[in-house]
């Protein structure tokens, strides 16, 4: 919940050229969102949340940011070009509509929606306002080995991508979780939440323009005291270009693991394959960002930590200024959201 990697400063704008604000500090990913933007040269000017303790902690992390008394006060600031937020998941869509109505771009934590109706409303609002509804899919955008995998694929290192396997185990840490974390209505379910990362990275790495959900299942195996909660899920996708995707995600990380999750991805191509060990190399190294490449020339271990950076944030800033779509197209962000919502809606629950 507090994943916020530090990268090297790589500003794409001068000081003051891209002011932004942070609101809705419900999820710790807001720190990663803001850190990524500030490292790329954006100026974090304002913050708002109804909880003073959250604001105090945030201001201690980002000195110089000004706390405002309301969301309206943030939206009325003419110099703010983008508003980023990490609201309770079912509040992210409605918040985005207000931000875009105020003439500002919106950058939300994943999952961006909890219902297909929210997605439809956002599509319509983007069309009406011309503003961006961008999403912090951190497990690709803020993981250096995942960024490097995309670069290698674009260079043809493994040929045509045929299949992506995504594994996303997380630690539930019940004592530290807010009440909304256990609510199906507020989170949308495990495939809508964690699954959004995996569907997005599949679309990116495979180059798919559309995909359909073939199969989905969810369960609550180990958290029976929270009957609405889903601590396990799986799904299969088939893309328009023939690539397939299997994901398995869960909240079952054992206490003995040295980090919050042993996230992995396996990318099979016609001329090689890639394995990503995102957050650690289990029982070997507690550092993350390990990329293993096997191709026609041999076996390669590429250490990506501190070497690749996080280009998405600078690209997003420039996209907002120039109205381009180099960081991520709007359709890509919405398609990833649509697929995870479709998977969640059709999922069979194992009892």
């Amino acid at each position: 919940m507090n994943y916020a990697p530090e990268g090297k400063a790589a500003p794409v704008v001068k000081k003051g050229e891209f002011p932004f604000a942070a609101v809705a500090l419900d999820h710790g990913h807001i720190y990663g969102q803001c850190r990524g933007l500030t490292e790329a040269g954006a100026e974090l000017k304002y913050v708002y949340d109804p909880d003073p303790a959250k604001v105090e902690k945030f201001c201690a992390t980002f000195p110089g940011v000004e706390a405002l008394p309301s969301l309206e006060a943030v939206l009325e600031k003419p110099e703010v070009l983008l508003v980023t937020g990490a609201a309770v998941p079912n509040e992210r869509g409605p918040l985005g509509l207000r931000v875009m109505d105020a003439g500002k771009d919106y950058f939300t934590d994943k999952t961006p929606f909890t219902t297909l109706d929210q997605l439809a409303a956002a599509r319509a609002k983007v069309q009406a306002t011309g503003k961006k509804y961008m999403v912090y899919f951190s497990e690709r955008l803020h993981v250096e080995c995942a960024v490097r995998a995309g670069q290698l694929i674009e260079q043809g290192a493994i040929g045509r991508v045929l299949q992506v396997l995504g594994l996303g185990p997380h630690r539930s840490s019940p004592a530290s979780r807010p009440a909304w974390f256990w609510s199906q209505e507020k989170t949308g379910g495990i495939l809508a939440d964690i699954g959004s990362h995996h569907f997005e990275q599949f679309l990116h790495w495979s180059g798919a323009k559309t995909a359909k959900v073939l199969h989905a299942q969810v369960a609550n195996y180990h958290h029976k005291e929270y009957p609405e909660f889903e601590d396990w899920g799986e799904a299969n996708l088939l893309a328009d270009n023939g690539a397939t995707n299997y994901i398995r995600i869960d909240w079952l990380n054992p206490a003995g693991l040295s980090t919050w999750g042993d996230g992995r991805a396996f990318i099979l191509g016609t001329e090689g394959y890639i394995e990503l060990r995102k957050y650690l190399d289990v029982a070997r190294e507690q550092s993350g960002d390990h990329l293993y490449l096997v191709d026609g020339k041999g076996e390669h271990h590429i250490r990506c930590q501190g070497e690749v950076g996080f280009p998405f944030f600078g690209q997003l800033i420039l996209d907002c200024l120039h109205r381009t779509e180099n960081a991520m197209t709007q359709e890509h962000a919405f398609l990833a959201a649509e697929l995870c919502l479709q998977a969640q809606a059709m999922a069979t629950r194992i009892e």
Side-chain angles (χ1 to χ4, degrees), residues 20-345:
F20 76 102
V23 302
L25 312 181
D26 295 285
H27 197 293
H29 279 170
I30 191 65
Y31 290 89
Q33 293 160 238
C34 292
R35 184 166 289 157
L37 288 169
T38 55
E39 287 173 351
E43 182 182 4
L44 178 54
K45 292 204 68 171
Y46 305 109
V47 62
Y48 167 69
D49 189 276
D51 185 340
K54 290 177 182 175
V55 172
E56 182 179 2
K57 178 184 175 184
F58 186 86
C59 291
T61 303
F62 296 100
V65 63
E66 179 182 348
L68 295 180
S70 66
L71 175 62
E72 291 73 19
V74 173
L75 299 181
E76 289 170 359
K77 292 291 185 181
E79 69 271 31
V80 170
L81 300 180
L82 176 144
V83 174
T84 188
V88 175
N90 69 333
E91 298 173 6
R92 291 170 186 169
L95 174 59
L97 302 185
R98 294 185 65 183
V99 170
M100 291 186 288
D101 272 337
K104 305 177 190 308
D105 292 313
Y106 181 54
F107 181 39
T108 181
D109 187 18
K110 66 77 212 165
T111 185
F113 311 102
T114 54
T115 70
L116 288 166
D117 286 344
Q118 289 180 350
L119 170 59
R123 285 187 187 273
K125 190 65 69 177
V126 166
Q127 186 68 27
T129 64
K131 295 302 174 182
K132 295 182 182 294
Y133 193 112
M134 284 291 103
V135 185
Y136 180 59
F137 293 112
S138 59
E139 292 198 26
R140 181 178 69 83
L141 304 177
H142 228 163
V143 174
E144 288 183 278
C145 67
V147 175
R148 185 70 179 118
Q151 295 169 347
L152 288 169
I153 291 167
E154 289 176 6
Q155 295 164 10
I158 60 170
R160 174 190 167 194
V161 172
L162 304 177
Q163 185 185 48
V164 177
L165 303 180
L167 303 178
H170 286 56
R171 180 173 290 140
S172 62
S173 302
S176 67
R177 296 291 180 175
W180 59 260
F181 177 79
W182 310 104
S183 165
Q184 182 82 4
E185 178 186 3
K186 292 183 182 297
T187 65
I190 193 170
L191 293 173
D193 183 17
I194 306 176
S196 63
H197 287 297
H198 293 271
F199 293 154
E200 189 279 331
Q201 67 185 16
F202 167 64
L203 294 174
H204 179 76
W205 291 330
S206 69
K209 300 303 180 185
T210 61
K212 60 181 178 180
V213 183
L214 301 180
H215 164 82
Q217 291 189 131
V218 296
N220 183 357
Y221 285 123
H222 192 57
H223 295 78
K224 300 299 186 183
E225 66 272 36
Y226 304 104
E228 295 182 22
F229 190 62
E230 297 165 352
D231 60 18
W232 178 90
E234 68 173 7
N236 291 91
L237 298 186
L238 173 63
D240 57 328
N241 59 8
T244 63
N245 181 218
Y246 171 78
I247 70 169
R248 192 220 75 216
I249 51 182
D250 65 74
W251 291 101
L252 301 171
N253 246 15
L257 190 71
S258 60
T259 189
W260 56 270
D262 184 12
R264 300 200 188 189
F266 301 82
I267 309 166
L268 174 66
T270 54
E271 298 175 28
Y273 63 87
I274 291 170
E275 179 187 350
L276 305 181
R277 302 182 186 180
K278 294 183 177 181
Y279 309 115
L280 82 165
D281 197 349
V282 65
R284 289 168 53 87
E285 296 185 28
Q286 292 186 7
S287 64
D289 286 306
H290 296 272
L291 185 151
Y292 293 88
L293 166 67
V294 182
D295 59 13
K297 298 179 181 179
E299 305 165 1
H300 316 275
H301 177 201
I302 303 172
R303 298 176 183 272
C304 302
Q305 195 168 70
E307 301 295 328
V308 179
F310 308 112
F312 168 82
F313 300 95
Q315 292 169 347
L316 175 59
I317 290 169
L318 295 177
D319 281 347
C320 292
L321 291 173
H322 305 311
R323 311 319 294 172
T324 49
E325 288 194 312
N326 295 314
M328 180 185 296
T329 68
Q330 187 63 75
E331 184 51 38
H332 175 91
F334 281 161
L335 176 58
E338 184 174 16
L339 288 169
C340 70
L341 292 170
Q342 290 173 344
Q344 188 70 54

